[in-house]
Amino acid sequence: MELLYKSTRSDQTPVTASWAILKGLAEDGGLFIPERIPKLDVPMEELAKMSYQEIAYEVMKLYFTDFTEEELKQCIRFAYDEKFDTKEIAPIRKVGQTYYLELFHGATIAFKDMALSILPHLMSVAAKKNQVKNEIVILTATSGDTGKAALAGFADVEGTKIIVFYPKGGVSPIQEKQMVTQKGNNTYVVGIHGNFDDAQNGVKEIFGNQELGKQMDQAGFQFSSANSINIGRLVPQIVYYVYSYAKLLADQEIVKGETIDVVVPTGNFGNILAAYFAKQMGMPIERLICASNENKVLYDFFSTGIYNKNREFILTSSPSMDILISSNLERLIYKIAGEDAKANQERMAALSKEGSYCITEEMKAQLKDFYGNYATEAETADMIKELYEKTGYVIDTHTAVAAAVYQKYQKETKDTKKALIASTASPYKFTRSVMTAINPDYNTMGDFELVDELSKISHTTVPRAIEEIRNAQAIHHRVCDATKMTETVKEILGIKK
C-alpha cells in the first residue's frame, strides 16, 4: 500500500516519499510526515536473525513505498558498507546493567552517519524518479555533526552541490577541522558569526525565499535539505532502534515482548522522534527519555507544556545539543494535536514571532511516554569520569548527558527496566572535554596528543576519521555574518545579485 506524505502546516495535496525526500521541506514551510505510521510486518524473532542491512530494508520499505525493492536494496548496500569500521554497523556495548548503542562507527564518527550515508543515494534515485533536470543544492545548518556527515555523504555525488553553514567558534576543534578539510569539487563550508539557531533560521529563510527559488530555477538549481527535517534522514534513524531490540533479543539479553527504556541525548529532536516512530510501529519501548544539556528548552517543555526559546543560549561541551529551536518537535506536536495543520501552523507562527507556544492539557496527556531532564556541565563531566573509573569505558559528552539524565530518571522513578542509551558520538570527537573530565591535567596537551592518550587509556584504536585529519590542510575558509547567508549562497552558485 502506497504511503504518502503531508505537510504539518497545511492540507496541501500529499506527495510521494521520493518527492518529500527531494524537497526536504514542504512549500508552506512545514515538515513532511507520513499519513500513517506503518506497523512492522515481520515478527521480532525473525528480525533477530537478520543483519543491519536486512532490517534496514524491512523498515524502509514500509515508508519509501514508491522505491522498488531493487532501488532500495541498492541504496542500503551503498550506504552500509566498509565506510563503517564494525561489521555490525551499530554495535551494542553492555556496561554494567546498561546497553550503549554505539552509533558512531561511520565515516565521521557520529550518529549522523547512520542516515547521511544513505540520503545521497535515496536522493539520486528520487531525482531520476521525478525527472528532475536541475542540479540539487543541499543546504544545511549544523551544530557540529550533521555538517561533516552530510559533506562526506554528498562529496562528488553527481548532480549535487552541498553548502554547510556552522557557528564559527560554536563547534569542537575536531568537528571544525573535519568540515574545513573536506575534499570534493561540490562541497562548500561557511562559518557564520552567530549560533546554531541563527544558522538554522537562515537556512529556513533561504528555503522560504520564493524569489531566490525562481532565480535558482533559471540558473538550473533547486534546493534540498540534509538536516533531520528531511524525512529521508528520519526514516533511516528508525532502523537502528528496531535493530537494537532485535539484537538484544538475538543475544538473549531480553526475552520476546520485554519492554525497554530508550535514552537519547537530544537537540533537534530527530533522533528521539525516530525512537517514538519505532515505538508506534510496534517496538516494545516503555519510556522515551529525552536528555538535554544546559540549553534545557525541551526539559522545560515536557515539564510545563510551554515551549519557550526566549532564554540565554549556552555554549556547552556537548555542542550538537546547543539548540533552542528543536525543529523536529513540530512533527510530534502535529501528531498529538490530532494532525490539525491549522493549529500547528499557528503554534509555529507564535514560535517565530513571540518565541514561544503552549500545548493543551489533552495534548500534554499524550506525552506520557516521554520523560525529560537535563544534565549540567559539571554532571556531564562527572559522568564521564565515574563511568571510566568504574568500568574503563569512555563516552563522549553527549552520551554522558544521556547517562547522567538516565541516573536521575532511575532515582526519581525507581524504574528497573533495561535501558538502551543512544551513544551518539565517539569520544575522539570531543577529546579535550572528555579527557579533562577524566583528569584536568590533560588540558596542557595538544588536540592530537589527547587523541593518542585517549587511545592509550581506553584501549581503542584511533578512528580512521581522526587519522585522516591529523595533518590535513584547511580547504574551506569562508566566514560570513548570519544576515548574509543568502548573498553567500548566491555567490557560491554564481547567481547574480
Side-chain angles (χ1 to χ4, degrees):
M1 192 190 301
E2 186 170 38
L3 184 60
L4 296 176
Y5 289 78
K6 54 189 179 178
S7 170
T8 54
R9 296 194 192 179
S10 72
D11 296 322
Q12 65 180 39
T13 307
V15 300
T16 61
S18 63
W19 188 248
I21 289 168
L22 265 182
K23 293 296 286 181
L25 205 61
E27 285 178 12
D28 55 29
L31 276 58
F32 285 114
I33 191 161
E35 290 189 307
R36 58 187 161 76
I37 297 178
K39 296 292 182 187
L40 284 167
D41 60 2
V42 178
M44 197 57 75
E45 53 269 35
E46 287 300 309
L47 292 171
K49 298 171 189 169
M50 294 183 187
S51 68
Y52 190 91
Q53 292 86 342
E54 289 166 332
I55 291 174
Y57 175 72
E58 294 301 334
V59 172
M60 290 190 212
K61 73 176 187 187
L62 301 173
Y63 288 92
F64 302 149
T65 54
D66 64 329
F67 284 68
T68 67
E69 179 177 347
E70 184 185 349
E71 286 168 342
L72 196 47
K73 284 186 172 175
Q74 182 170 299
C75 288
I76 289 165
R77 193 167 61 250
F78 286 161
Y80 304 113
D81 57 10
E82 66 282 348
K83 288 191 293 292
F84 289 80
D85 62 22
T86 53
K87 188 168 180 285
E88 57 267 68
I89 307 296
I92 297 172
R93 284 284 299 270
K94 186 177 182 181
V95 183
Q97 292 305 303
T98 305
Y99 301 90
Y100 287 81
L101 175 62
E102 293 187 344
L103 298 170
F104 53 74
H105 289 281
T108 72
I109 57 175
F111 83 102
K112 308 291 172 78
D113 290 323
M114 303 300 293
L116 282 164
S117 292
I118 194 167
L119 183 62
H121 305 293
L122 294 172
M123 212 167 260
S124 294
V125 173
K128 285 176 190 158
K129 274 187 184 303
N130 292 279
Q131 285 83 50
V132 169
K133 299 290 189 285
N134 285 343
E135 191 165 11
I136 296 165
V137 179
I138 306 299
L139 194 63
T140 291
T142 185
S143 55
D145 286 339
T146 287
K148 172 60 182 179
L151 288 161
F154 281 93
D156 292 324
V157 170
E158 196 178 338
T160 69
K161 290 189 189 310
I162 177 163
I163 304 171
V164 169
F165 289 98
Y166 75 96
K168 186 77 179 165
V171 299
S172 81
I174 295 283
Q175 284 177 313
E176 182 171 47
K177 191 158 189 189
Q178 280 188 304
M179 286 189 282
V180 299
T181 59
Q182 175 66 50
K183 293 176 181 171
N185 292 325
N186 64 338
T187 63
Y188 304 89
V189 179
V190 185
I192 68 152
H193 298 304
N195 59 38
F196 169 72
D197 286 332
D198 296 324
Q200 184 165 251
N201 286 336
V203 164
K204 283 182 178 175
E205 280 173 24
I206 292 169
F207 273 115
N209 186 329
Q210 292 183 342
E211 182 56 40
L212 177 59
K214 286 178 193 167
Q215 291 177 307
M216 291 275 292
D217 190 50
Q218 287 166 1
F221 299 115
Q222 70 184 61
F223 285 128
S224 191
S225 169
N227 276 77
S228 58
I229 54 174
N230 192 313
I231 201 71
R233 274 279 305 276
L234 183 65
V235 170
Q237 291 180 274
I238 300 168
V239 173
Y240 49 72
Y241 291 111
V242 176
Y243 169 81
S244 61
Y245 190 90
K247 181 76 173 152
L248 289 173
L249 190 60
D251 292 345
Q252 300 183 320
E253 294 290 342
I254 54 174
V255 297
K256 183 185 170 187
E258 182 178 349
T259 56
I260 63 169
D261 294 326
V262 171
V263 191
V264 187
T266 309
N268 220 13
F269 208 76
N271 204 358
I272 195 163
L273 185 70
Y276 170 80
F277 271 52
K279 176 171 173 134
Q280 300 302 305
M281 292 181 76
M283 187 181 151
I285 297 174
E286 187 75 21
R287 299 301 295 277
L288 295 153
I289 299 167
C290 178
S292 301
N293 64 18
E294 288 183 0
N295 292 291
K296 57 187 181 68
V297 65
L298 287 166
Y299 164 65
D300 292 340
F301 167 72
F302 283 115
S303 303
T304 65
I306 299 168
Y307 193 98
N308 188 347
K309 75 175 184 73
N310 298 317
R311 61 185 70 206
E312 181 192 357
F313 182 91
I314 302 165
L315 287 172
T316 74
S317 60
S318 46
S320 299
M321 298 159 67
D322 290 348
I323 293 172
L324 296 181
I325 302 174
S326 298
S327 294
N328 271 289
L329 184 64
E330 179 173 344
R331 286 187 170 112
L332 181 64
I333 297 300
Y334 174 77
K335 291 287 290 179
I336 65 173
E339 304 197 347
D340 184 337
K342 186 173 182 293
N344 187 66
Q345 202 280 331
E346 286 168 0
R347 284 191 179 91
M348 295 309 131
L351 179 63
S352 179
K353 198 179 286 184
E354 289 121 39
S356 70
Y357 62 81
C358 64
I359 61 173
T360 65
E361 286 302 315
E362 291 80 7
M363 290 168 70
K364 202 173 172 189
Q366 291 184 65
L367 296 175
K368 63 182 186 307
D369 292 346
F370 287 89
Y371 167 91
N373 214 320
Y374 74 102
T376 65
E377 284 290 90
E379 288 167 337
T380 302
D382 288 347
M383 190 72 239
I384 294 168
K385 182 181 175 71
E386 178 188 325
L387 196 64
Y388 171 68
E389 289 181 345
K390 282 183 179 174
T391 68
Y393 188 57
V394 182
I395 55 175
D396 90 295
T397 45
H398 303 75
T399 309
V401 167
V405 165
Y406 178 55
Q407 272 193 355
K408 292 182 180 185
Y409 170 76
Q410 283 185 303
K411 281 178 190 164
E412 202 176 298
T413 64
K414 307 295 185 282
D415 186 351
T416 56
K417 275 190 300 304
K418 287 163 185 163
L420 182 79
I421 293 180
S423 186
T424 53
S426 166
Y428 285 95
K429 204 151 194 169
F430 303 94
T431 44
R432 187 162 301 280
S433 297
V434 168
M435 294 300 281
T436 53
I438 290 169
N439 186 339
D441 292 347
Y442 282 131
N443 208 22
T444 58
M445 289 186 174
D447 286 328
F448 286 96
E449 283 180 289
L450 286 171
V451 163
D452 294 330
E453 187 65 17
L454 172 56
S455 175
K456 195 160 79 179
I457 69 162
S458 63
H459 306 289
T460 56
T461 305
V462 176
R464 191 167 59 223
I466 298 294
E467 290 295 1
E468 283 172 356
I469 63 166
R470 195 184 282 266
N471 299 306
Q473 296 301 306
I475 297 168
H476 306 277
H477 304 282
R478 269 193 183 88
V479 179
C480 77
D481 195 79
T483 59
K484 301 288 184 187
M485 288 169 61
T486 302
E487 289 91 330
T488 303
V489 168
K490 284 184 172 183
E491 179 192 306
I492 288 168
L493 298 177
I495 293 173
K496 291 186 174 66
K497 293 176 184 177

